[in-house]
Amino acid sequence: MNAAFASGVSGFASATALMNRAADRVTSVRGLTIPDPLSRAVNTPGASAGNSPLPPAASGRATPSPDFAMAAVEMIQAKHMAAASGAIVRAADDMVGALLDIKA
């Protein structure tokens, strides 16, 4: 039963590390934000687009980079890993409780 607790705690630590790596990846992404209003000129034909380093996509938003997409996937994986690890710890706790009830 101690092994079950250790497994749950280890899984939760792994999920935390994965979430931290994904969060670091998100904070390091550059040029992914919506262009600021000053970089876009009035939407009239022939108007200058300003000095925007990244032209917006057709929807008016910058397209996500693969690093950002992978970070989002890793965050979802970390969430599920943490939930599964919590379930393992709860199951181990229930087993210890049942064993104590039987012994008492």
Side-chain angles (χ1 to χ4, degrees), residues 25-92:
R25 184 175 292 152
V26 168
T27 59
S28 68
V29 172
R30 301 278 187 246
L32 184 59
T33 58
I34 298 171
D36 60 276
L38 298 176
S39 68
R40 288 185 280 154
V42 178
N43 240 353
T44 56
S48 171
N51 293 332
S52 176
L54 289 173
S59 66
R61 295 180 182 258
T63 55
S65 70
D67 285 342
F68 183 74
M70 182 56 81
V73 170
E74 287 176 351
M75 286 181 181
I76 293 168
Q77 286 176 333
K79 180 179 95 170
H80 290 296
M81 285 173 62
S85 297
I88 291 171
V89 170
R90 276 191 301 276

